[in-house]
Amino acid sequence: MKLEHLRYVITTVEQGSISKAAQSLFLTQPHLSKIIREVENEIRYPIFLRQSDGIALTQKGAQFLLHARRMLNEADSMFALSHEPEQTHHFSISTVRTSLVLDCFLQLLQEHQDDPYLQFSICENGNNTAIDDVYTQNAELGIVYLLAAERKNMFDRLSRRGISYHRICPLPHQIIISCEHPLLELGRPVTREDLYPYGMLRYGRGMVFGSENADSIWYNSFLDLNRIGRTVYVYDRATMHNLLTATDFFTLGTSPAIYQESLHKIVSIPFTESSVNQEAIVEMGYIHLDGTPYTEVCSRFIELLNEAYAPGGSREPIHNG
């Protein structure tokens, strides 16, 4: 099987139809259809369901897509070595949306600020993307949030892909608001009842833990969402920070990031009420593909995470020199 044919299959998935994929690849539709049939004959199962309105992946086709992307990533990395200086440092991470990770990534960049050659990448999305990126080797390391209610499902999924999970720290429930929010003037711990008069910011459904059900368990462990009169859904972390800073809305989150007050003008208040659903307990961990070595840069990044957030680690920013 040719690597180029794998690229054709991936392009077909991305375009949603063979005709659109053929146009983008500058191929005729019959020729692309022939190549896809040859690939399917070679692997002995169909990749696509042909439908009147386009194509859809079969269940095995979805698995094929993960393997194909992994093979292409490995091939691209191998060929790219010939164009890079010998001393180039590489590191790629796929993470849930959290300032906790970005703070440590910034510290890593500071440590390598004098390196003449480096290629770092960071992708912020959700648990599902982090798992897929680690499996396809699009990322060397993944950072995930593990919800107690989803623990077995998460571990089963990681085990099937040969991915190991390593706990970093528990994440206590927090209320996140602007540094100038009226709640800070109460002079006592904030309760659920204090929050209901204010608007709530939250990520789109399924964006926190990878499924709408898991997100629902988590959000409802804090509050009766039916009593929230104003809700704004956001789909990226920059928008979340900007709205928190400029309004009296609040959001629900986890441990405070190292630089959140100085950089984003927001603060985290511990949620002190004890009646939090045990299924909604959250921890942060990193995932890594079994059998692949840790690079020096990756190992250092894990050290930074543990130093900043693991129990007993330092919560202070790490400065060089």
Side-chain angles (χ1 to χ4, degrees):
M1 187 182 302
K2 296 181 179 179
L3 290 177
E4 198 64 25
H5 291 176
L6 296 181
R7 298 187 196 278
Y8 292 169
V9 172
I10 291 173
T11 300
T12 302
V13 173
E14 293 171 345
Q15 294 294 324
S17 75
I18 295 176
S19 60
K20 290 181 181 178
Q23 291 177 2
S24 69
L25 293 167
F26 301 101
L27 300 173
T28 65
Q29 182 174 337
H31 183 56
L32 179 57
S33 296
K34 178 175 179 291
I35 290 173
I36 292 174
R37 283 196 300 271
E38 289 175 351
V39 172
E40 290 177 323
N41 289 335
E42 187 171 350
I43 61 178
R44 299 182 182 178
Y45 55 82
I47 299 172
F48 297 111
L49 294 172
R50 277 74 172 178
Q51 303 169 333
S52 58
D53 58 347
I55 56 169
L57 282 169
T58 64
Q59 185 173 356
K60 288 186 177 180
Q63 293 298 311
F64 174 88
L65 185 65
L66 287 174
H67 288 292
R69 283 178 169 154
R70 179 175 176 178
M71 292 173 65
L72 288 175
N73 284 332
E74 290 179 347
D76 290 343
S77 297
M78 179 178 64
F79 290 125
L81 290 175
S82 63
H83 304 292
E84 294 176 356
E86 188 69 27
Q87 65 272 34
T88 300
H89 289 108
H90 291 268
F91 179 56
S92 56
I93 182 171
S94 185
T95 175
V96 293
R97 298 170 185 84
T98 171
S99 297
L100 305 182
V101 173
L102 186 59
D103 284 347
C104 291
F105 191 80
L106 289 171
Q107 292 177 48
L108 187 71
L109 284 177
Q110 291 171 4
E111 292 184 0
H112 288 268
Q113 61 185 348
D114 296 327
D115 288 3
Y117 304 105
L118 64 80
Q119 288 189 13
F120 289 179
S121 69
I122 180 169
C123 170
E124 278 196 354
N125 203 302
N127 279 350
N128 294 336
T129 300
I131 293 170
D132 287 346
D133 283 348
V134 168
Y135 180 72
T136 60
Q137 295 189 293
N138 203 39
E140 181 180 357
L141 197 71
I143 305 296
V144 296
Y145 280 171
L146 180 59
L147 185 72
E150 295 287 306
R151 191 176 191 87
K152 184 179 185 303
N153 290 337
M154 171 75 85
F155 284 175
D156 287 347
R157 184 177 179 192
L158 295 176
S159 178
R160 288 196 301 270
R161 286 165 171 76
I163 298 173
S164 57
Y165 170 85
H166 306 264
R167 183 176 186 268
I168 297 172
C169 63
L171 297 175
H173 295 65
Q174 305 271 327
I175 303 157
I176 305 174
I177 54 178
S178 162
C179 288
E180 299 179 354
H181 200 285
L183 287 174
L184 295 176
E185 299 175 2
L186 291 177
R188 59 171 172 78
V190 176
T191 68
R192 288 184 176 90
E193 293 298 323
D194 295 325
L195 296 174
Y196 290 128
Y198 294 96
M200 176 180 172
L201 302 171
R202 60 174 289 184
Y203 284 117
R205 293 179 174 87
M207 289 181 63
V208 181
F209 296 103
S211 75
E212 187 172 344
N213 178 63
D215 283 8
S216 178
I217 291 173
W218 188 66
Y219 279 113
N220 281 289
S221 73
F222 286 92
L223 299 169
D224 179 356
L225 296 183
N226 293 321
R227 295 182 60 187
I228 301 294
R230 297 176 297 157
T231 302
V232 175
Y233 290 90
V234 300
Y235 294 86
D236 64 82
R237 196 158 52 81
T239 301
M240 177 70 79
H241 286 166
N242 288 337
L243 291 177
L244 284 172
T245 302
T247 71
D248 64 359
F249 278 60
F250 70 92
T251 192
L252 306 177
T254 55
S255 294
I258 300 171
Y259 299 113
Q260 72 173 22
E261 186 169 353
S262 60
L263 288 181
H264 307 298
K265 308 305 178 187
I266 57 178
V267 294
S268 296
I269 303 173
F271 192 76
T272 57
E273 296 190 41
S274 60
S275 58
V276 172
N277 184 348
Q278 292 300 301
E279 289 192 333
I281 294 175
V282 183
E283 67 184 48
M284 181 171 69
Y286 68 87
I287 57 175
H288 186 262
L289 190 65
D290 294 341
T292 58
Y294 291 87
T295 63
E296 180 181 345
V297 178
C298 181
S299 296
R300 176 56 184 153
F301 184 75
I302 293 170
E303 287 180 0
L304 290 172
L305 285 171
N306 284 321
E307 289 170 2
Y309 303 114
S314 170
R315 290 284 301 171
E316 296 301 318
I318 300 168
H319 300 287
N320 295 316

